Amino acid sequence: GSTPYAVKHYRDAQHRYQLCRRLDPKAEATWPALARTAQDNLLLYAEHTWGHSSTVGNPCSTMVLNLDIRKTSYASKAHEAASRMYNRIAMAAGDIMRYYSTSGGIKVVNPGGAAGLLPVEFYIESSTIAAARLTDAAGRVLPCQVSPHPRGRRISFMDQFAPHESKTYHYAELPAQNQPLNSRQCYVGAERVRDIVNDYDPLTYRMPYGYENRWFKLCCTPGAGVTAFVDKRVGKNLLPEGQFPFFTPLYERTPLGSEAAAPMPGENIERRERRLLGRNVRGRAAEVTPGTLREVLGTEHGPVFTTLKLRYELPGTIHCCLYLKFYEAVPRIDFRLELGKTVSTEIESIYLPLTLGYDDATLWARKGAEAYRPGVDQLPGSGMEYTMSDDGIGYLSPAGGALIAARDTPLYYFGELRHHPIQLCDNKPENNARPVYNWLMNNTWETNFKMDLSGFGEYCYTLWLTDATNPEAAMDELRERSFDPTVFIVE
């Protein structure tokens, strides 16, 4: 959490390396030097030594800065090696490595064990495409959606895939359709604001207040925030009472000088205050502030997905927006948090609540080989305030649950967001019912870990509804669904 930008880079390197092994089971034998470089640097970055012992006491020191960059270089070298291996696999699959044509053919590979209707997207570096026609090998036309992309356009569609199945498609640019003037329906004003209740465009005027499809209903209001998040299968609002709501970023700070104690020899106030936190990872005067929702915008709507932008005002940041992508044909939401974090010497953390209020649900995670219940399946007497998970978490209940992948941020916090006595694990079932937060970033440690969290970044998540009740099967499903179909442009 102290190096969120480098960890995101590392996690993507890890994902790319695993993707290479899925796309080509012989990849390690075919490109042994690249595979070994990726393996060695993934291992070195994950090793415990995270930075110089004076990261907080002497953050300007050349030795501190050099060691931080050296540490980050392991993640970057792993990313480079995995990317070079992926490029060779793409070339072997027929990818032409040229993405400027407004028509061509693509090969799509499902690298995971997930089956069913899966989303596919690829990028064309041409800003002229307004619409596209996409057909499969049998000539069947599939609905697709063309979206803006920093380098051109993104084309998205969905199709049925078996595990590890490959398919081919053809895409072609379509001319932009003229939008005829509709003078017979009162749905928009002369200022182009669509805020009139009508049957002609029944979606747009509702989007500033949330969104609803066959799977989900989201309600939100500027000022009040997210007020409802409903799983329509079970007909239940999943926002737990008395807790910070889902999709709402949180900022926590402990002001310096709030912990009165004499410093140790050579210890400055920043290091002293952090040393006195103990296992609470926050001071007695800690303040938690939820983001204030200022604006809700519907940024895109089409046959494949609808995107909402929730703009928050959050202390400690100069930019905070949450984007939600609702798919029309599957019970899936992709959401990403954009942050512009400011620099501060105070003790800070940023969290994203992930608590869902399913009845009779059990929370599961996975580290290594086995699924486990945080707070229950742990060594007695071990800490249970925070932990990591390889792919994300899952809520499983007899009536249905949800899987949540956190691709960029592997750290989770459980329980009260306030200073409190620390209960070590006693394996009681109620430990598994505590609030859950993804812990995006922090500078709480007095040594080895960075104090500076400033920068711009995005943190990506996906939520799927699931009927799985077996924890091992659910964690397997979460891992497999984390690998979306891969696209090669072959003509």
Side-chain angles (χ1 to χ4, degrees):
S2 64
T3 52
Y5 313 104
V7 166
K8 175 182 171 68
H9 191 48
Y10 170 81
R11 294 273 286 183
D12 192 65
Q14 198 176 45
H15 185 86
R16 286 178 184 229
Y17 184 71
Q18 294 171 359
L19 176 62
C20 288
R21 297 180 64 190
R22 288 166 176 262
L23 293 172
D24 183 356
K26 298 180 180 179
E28 293 171 333
T30 306
W31 298 285
L34 291 175
R36 183 59 184 267
T37 299
Q39 291 170 358
D40 287 352
N41 285 282
L42 287 170
L43 177 64
L44 285 168
Y45 187 79
E47 192 268 336
H48 172 71
T49 307
W50 216 255
H52 194 273
S53 59
S54 294
T55 50
V56 173
N58 301 97
C60 300
S61 167
T62 298
M63 187 176 294
V64 168
L65 297 175
N66 281 341
L67 191 54
D68 174 57
I69 294 172
R70 282 278 300 275
K71 179 69 175 182
T72 302
S73 76
Y74 296 136
S76 196
K77 284 184 283 191
H79 196 280
E80 179 188 9
S83 297
R84 291 175 63 190
M85 189 184 301
Y86 174 83
N87 289 343
R88 283 156 174 75
I89 292 172
M91 291 179 65
D95 197 312
I96 59 176
M97 301 291 177
R98 297 292 184 273
Y99 309 136
Y100 308 114
S101 177
T102 56
S103 65
I106 61 172
K107 178 182 179 180
V108 181
V109 181
N110 177 14
L117 199 58
L118 301 179
V120 181
E121 65 179 30
F122 61 101
Y123 302 92
I124 302 297
E125 296 191 8
S126 171
S127 59
T128 63
I129 299 179
R133 184 174 188 267
L134 192 130
T135 56
D136 65 9
R140 181 173 56 115
V141 178
L142 301 178
C144 67
Q145 188 166 335
V146 178
S147 310
H149 181 258
R151 299 274 306 206
R153 291 292 185 266
R154 177 183 63 203
I155 300 177
S156 306
F157 67 96
M158 302 198 74
D159 201 5
Q160 294 281 345
F161 286 88
H164 311 292
E165 183 180 12
S166 298
K167 292 186 175 184
T168 58
Y169 303 86
H170 186 271
Y171 69 93
E173 179 181 10
L174 291 177
Q177 295 182 346
N178 292 326
Q179 295 294 329
L181 178 65
N182 185 340
S183 60
R184 298 180 180 274
Q185 297 283 346
C186 183
Y187 73 101
V188 61
E191 75 293 319
R192 301 182 183 180
V193 176
R194 302 190 180 197
D195 56 2
I196 303 170
V197 176
N198 68 93
D199 295 328
Y200 176 74
D201 179 14
L203 177 70
T204 305
Y205 71 85
R206 292 192 180 101
M207 288 179 71
Y209 315 103
Y211 182 72
E212 183 174 1
N213 61 15
R214 76 176 88 170
W215 316 105
F216 302 100
K217 180 179 180 180
L218 177 75
C219 299
C220 48
T221 305
V226 177
T227 56
F229 179 46
V230 178
D231 178 348
K232 295 173 72 172
R233 298 174 308 165
V234 298
K236 180 177 175 58
N237 183 3
L238 301 179
L239 301 185
E241 294 184 9
Q243 297 184 28
F244 295 112
F246 212 87
F247 302 130
T248 304
L250 310 175
Y251 173 74
E252 180 185 66
R253 68 182 276 270
T254 298
L256 292 180
S258 59
E259 303 292 328
M264 297 174 65
E267 186 180 46
N268 62 7
I269 186 173
E270 289 85 6
R271 187 167 180 176
R272 180 193 70 196
E273 297 283 301
R274 285 164 171 80
R275 174 174 58 83
L276 295 173
L277 298 180
R279 277 133 298 283
N280 254 285
V281 300
R282 61 180 56 82
R284 292 174 177 84
E287 306 163 353
V288 179
T289 307
T292 301
L293 183 60
R294 293 303 186 193
E295 185 178 38
V296 181
L297 294 173
T299 59
E300 187 173 355
H301 174 65
V304 180
F305 61 83
T306 296
T307 303
L308 265 62
K309 174 183 176 181
L310 278 60
R311 183 177 65 83
Y312 285 95
E313 186 178 278
L314 186 69
T317 71
I318 59 172
H319 173 77
C320 181
C321 290
L322 186 80
Y323 291 84
L324 296 97
K325 180 191 286 188
F326 293 86
Y327 288 87
E328 300 300 323
V330 290
R332 166 175 172 164
I333 304 173
D334 294 344
F335 56 104
R336 60 184 174 91
L337 179 63
E338 285 187 354
L339 289 176
K341 180 70 184 71
T342 56
V343 65
S344 174
T345 59
E346 293 184 323
I347 299 165
E348 301 180 296
S349 286
I350 290 183
Y351 305 92
L352 191 64
L354 295 182
T355 307
L356 295 176
Y358 284 103
D359 294 332
D360 302 318
T362 303
L363 176 69
W364 292 89
R366 175 184 274 168
K367 286 197 293 187
E370 296 182 2
Y372 74 102
R373 295 166 294 175
V376 178
D377 303 324
Q378 297 182 210
L379 289 173
S382 61
M384 56 181 184
E385 242 58 28
Y386 52 91
T387 189
M388 295 210 295
S389 180
D390 291 346
D391 304 296
I393 57 174
Y395 289 93
L396 306 186
S397 78
L403 304 174
I404 305 172
R407 178 167 170 174
D408 303 320
T409 46
L411 187 61
Y412 297 82
Y413 183 88
F414 304 90
E416 304 171 275
L417 289 183
R418 63 180 181 85
H419 200 281
H420 61 279
I422 300 298
Q423 171 69 51
L424 298 179
C425 184
D426 54 9
N427 308 111
K428 292 181 179 179
E430 54 262 35
N431 297 336
N432 189 250
R434 296 170 297 161
V436 185
Y437 307 89
N438 191 233
W439 198 358
L440 282 83
M441 56 178 68
N442 65 74
N443 62 3
T444 61
W445 319 110
E446 77 274 13
T447 183
N448 290 109
F449 298 93
K450 283 185 69 174
M451 182 168 57
D452 177 15
L453 299 172
S454 63
F456 288 90
E458 63 175 5
Y459 307 92
C460 301
Y461 306 81
T462 298
L463 182 149
W464 298 268
L465 298 183
T466 183
D467 294 321
T469 55
N470 179 280
E472 293 293 348
M475 291 296 102
D476 287 344
E477 179 185 350
L478 175 59
R479 173 162 294 176
E480 296 306 310
R481 288 194 176 278
S482 296
F483 288 89
D484 283 329
T486 300
V487 177
F488 303 116
I489 297 181
V490 295
E491 65 174 83

